[in-house]
């Protein structure tokens, strides 16, 4: 049982990693390699090309997430008893009741869903803009793209950590944990929106004005 569980976990992780690598690879292959000569001659604007890639990648991410959730649910159903089902029902009823009865928790759930959706979009666009910036170089474009990607993610992680520390230290004595969590989630969503917009605009601008497929 332990061995099969470990295999399942590895497969789930592998599926998530494969989805990320596949979407990034297809964008790279379609947009900045030999296929890009055909792609960029289509009678559409660069933002339409990027948007089409973004939509397909987002759908692939959603399909991957649903597959993981469904597989976990199927395995869990086979291992839980009737008493466990009643416990789960009571837990769900408690969560639903607390959400309806507590505006702060309801807001927190809404912010979490929005933040998750925005993080998917920004998580797709960050590799896109990294590839676009890397192709401006004549040599070692892949390495430049990887470097830009790492730099962006490290910077975002540092900004997120600083914001969390500041919120916790400033508001820990005057606000409850739910409010701090909601503010942190909301700020994170706003940062992801700003990053997604900047990455989208920058990618489209590079492909429109500085395309270099040599």
């Amino acid at each position: 049982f332990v061995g099969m569980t470990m295999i399942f976990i590895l497969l789930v992780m592998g599926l998530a990693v494969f989805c990320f690598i596949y979407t990034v690879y297809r964008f790279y292959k379609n947009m900045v390699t030999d296929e890009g000569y055909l792609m960029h001659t289509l009678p559409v604007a660069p933002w339409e090309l990027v948007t089409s890639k973004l939509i397909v990648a987002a759908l692939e991410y959603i399909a991957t997430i649903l597959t993981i959730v469904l597989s976990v649910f199927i395995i869990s159903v086979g291992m839980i008893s009737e008493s466990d089902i009643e416990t789960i029902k009571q837990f769900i009823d408690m969560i639903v009741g607390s959400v309806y009865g507590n505006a702060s928790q309801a807001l927190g759930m809404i912010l979490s869903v929005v933040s998750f959706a925005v993080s998917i979009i920004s998580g797709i666009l960050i590799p896109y803009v990294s590839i676009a910036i890397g192709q401006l170089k004549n040599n070692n474009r892949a390495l430049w793209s990887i470097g830009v990607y790492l730099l962006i993610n490290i910077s975002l992680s540092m900004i997120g950590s600083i914001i969390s520390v500041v919120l916790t230290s400033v508001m820990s004595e005057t606000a409850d944990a739910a409010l701090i969590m909601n503010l942190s989630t909301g700020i994170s969503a706003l940062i992801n929106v700003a990053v997604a917009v900047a990455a989208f605009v920058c990618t489209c601008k590079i492909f429109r004005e500085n395309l270099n497929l040599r």
Side-chain angles (χ1 to χ4, degrees):
F1 175 78
V2 174
M4 293 301 296
T5 302
M6 292 298 297
I7 292 174
F8 173 75
I9 293 173
L10 290 175
L11 289 174
V12 168
M13 294 175 60
L15 178 60
V17 173
F18 173 80
C19 178
F20 172 78
I21 294 176
Y22 178 76
T23 54
V24 173
Y25 173 77
R26 290 312 308 166
F27 182 83
Y28 175 82
K29 190 74 172 175
N30 291 155
M31 301 294 286
V32 298
T33 62
D34 291 342
E35 295 181 12
Y37 288 102
L38 175 61
M39 187 68 63
H40 291 285
T41 56
L42 295 175
V44 293
W47 71 267
E48 293 176 293
L49 293 175
V50 177
T51 301
S52 65
K53 300 296 181 184
L54 174 62
I55 292 173
V56 173
L59 291 176
E60 290 176 349
Y61 272 54
I62 293 172
T64 300
I65 294 171
L66 291 177
T67 301
I68 293 173
V69 171
L70 182 61
S71 62
V72 172
F73 175 76
I74 292 173
I75 291 179
S76 300
V77 168
M79 295 189 297
I80 60 178
S81 61
E82 292 184 1
S83 60
D84 294 328
I85 294 176
E86 291 298 325
T87 302
I88 293 173
K89 288 182 178 179
Q90 294 175 1
F91 179 72
I92 293 175
D93 292 338
M94 181 184 68
I95 293 177
V96 173
S98 64
V99 168
Y100 279 109
N102 191 324
S104 178
Q105 292 188 7
L107 178 62
M109 290 194 65
I110 294 173
L111 288 174
S112 297
V113 173
V114 173
S115 179
F116 179 72
V118 174
S119 66
I120 291 178
I121 297 175
S122 64
I124 297 171
L125 287 172
I126 289 175
Y128 286 6
V129 72
S130 301
I131 291 172
I133 294 174
Q135 67 91 37
L136 294 176
K137 300 294 182 179
N138 292 324
N139 299 313
N140 300 320
R141 294 179 179 179
L143 292 178
W144 278 101
S145 298
I146 294 173
V148 172
Y149 176 78
L150 293 176
L151 179 62
I152 293 174
N153 279 279
I154 292 173
S155 301
L156 291 177
S157 298
M158 292 178 62
I159 293 173
S161 300
I162 292 172
I163 291 174
S164 298
V165 171
V166 171
L167 285 177
T168 303
S169 61
V170 172
M171 303 184 64
S172 58
E173 297 180 358
T174 59
D176 58 4
L179 178 59
I180 296 175
M181 181 63 68
N182 289 344
L183 284 175
S184 179
T185 304
I187 293 174
S188 176
L190 290 176
I191 292 175
N192 282 325
V193 169
V195 170
V197 171
F200 182 83
V201 172
C202 184
T203 303
C204 296
K205 182 178 177 61
I206 291 174
F207 286 149
R208 184 178 65 252
E209 299 178 3
N210 303 99
L211 185 62
N212 180 14
L213 300 180
R214 290 182 301 171

